PDB file of all heavy atoms in Angstrom:
ATOM      1  N   CYS A 431     184.977  87.871  64.341  1.00  0.00           N
ATOM      2  CA  CYS A 431     185.968  87.239  63.466  1.00  0.00           C
ATOM      3  C   CYS A 431     185.499  87.188  62.013  1.00  0.00           C
ATOM      4  O   CYS A 431     186.237  86.714  61.151  1.00  0.00           O
ATOM      5  CB  CYS A 431     186.244  85.823  63.952  1.00  0.00           C
ATOM      6  SG  CYS A 431     184.782  84.772  63.832  1.00  0.00           S
ATOM      7  N   ARG A 433     183.084  85.322  60.821  1.00  0.00           N
ATOM      8  CA  ARG A 433     182.548  84.022  60.394  1.00  0.00           C
ATOM      9  C   ARG A 433     181.055  83.956  60.688  1.00  0.00           C
ATOM     10  O   ARG A 433     180.587  84.385  61.750  1.00  0.00           O
ATOM     11  CB  ARG A 433     183.265  82.889  61.118  1.00  0.00           C
ATOM     12  CG  ARG A 433     184.775  82.804  60.709  1.00  0.00           C
ATOM     13  CD  ARG A 433     185.456  81.644  61.353  1.00  0.00           C
ATOM     14  NE  ARG A 433     185.084  81.514  62.749  1.00  0.00           N
ATOM     15  CZ  ARG A 433     184.777  80.380  63.342  1.00  0.00           C
ATOM     16  NH1 ARG A 433     184.749  79.248  62.671  1.00  0.00           N
ATOM     17  NH2 ARG A 433     184.450  80.366  64.611  1.00  0.00           N
ATOM     18  N   CYS A 436     179.778  82.518  64.028  1.00  0.00           N
ATOM     19  CA  CYS A 436     179.770  83.374  65.221  1.00  0.00           C
ATOM     20  C   CYS A 436     178.654  84.414  65.103  1.00  0.00           C
ATOM     21  O   CYS A 436     178.047  84.793  66.120  1.00  0.00           O
ATOM     22  CB  CYS A 436     181.119  84.037  65.387  1.00  0.00           C
ATOM     23  SG  CYS A 436     182.375  82.863  65.917  1.00  0.00           S
ATOM     24  N   CYS A 463     187.378  87.986  68.772  1.00  0.00           N
ATOM     25  CA  CYS A 463     185.943  87.789  68.521  1.00  0.00           C
ATOM     26  C   CYS A 463     185.263  87.439  69.860  1.00  0.00           C
ATOM     27  O   CYS A 463     185.739  86.555  70.593  1.00  0.00           O
ATOM     28  CB  CYS A 463     185.762  86.667  67.523  1.00  0.00           C
ATOM     29  SG  CYS A 463     184.061  86.119  67.308  1.00  0.00           S
ATOM     30  N   VAL A 465     182.697  85.858  70.378  1.00  0.00           N
ATOM     31  CA  VAL A 465     182.067  84.534  70.393  1.00  0.00           C
ATOM     32  C   VAL A 465     183.103  83.428  70.494  1.00  0.00           C
ATOM     33  O   VAL A 465     183.047  82.602  71.391  1.00  0.00           O
ATOM     34  CB  VAL A 465     181.168  84.336  69.138  1.00  0.00           C
ATOM     35  CG1 VAL A 465     180.453  82.988  69.209  1.00  0.00           C
ATOM     36  CG2 VAL A 465     180.174  85.483  68.997  1.00  0.00           C
ATOM     37  N   CYS A 466     184.078  83.421  69.576  1.00  0.00           N
ATOM     38  CA  CYS A 466     185.003  82.271  69.505  1.00  0.00           C
ATOM     39  C   CYS A 466     186.412  82.580  70.027  1.00  0.00           C
ATOM     40  O   CYS A 466     187.196  81.649  70.210  1.00  0.00           O
ATOM     41  CB  CYS A 466     185.080  81.778  68.067  1.00  0.00           C
ATOM     42  SG  CYS A 466     185.934  82.945  66.976  1.00  0.00           S
TER      43      CYS A 466
HETATM   44 ZN1   ZN B 502     184.239  84.246  65.965  1.00  0.00          ZN
END
Side-chain angles (χ1 to χ4, degrees):
C431 65
R433 294 183 317 135
C436 290
C463 171
V465 184
C466 69

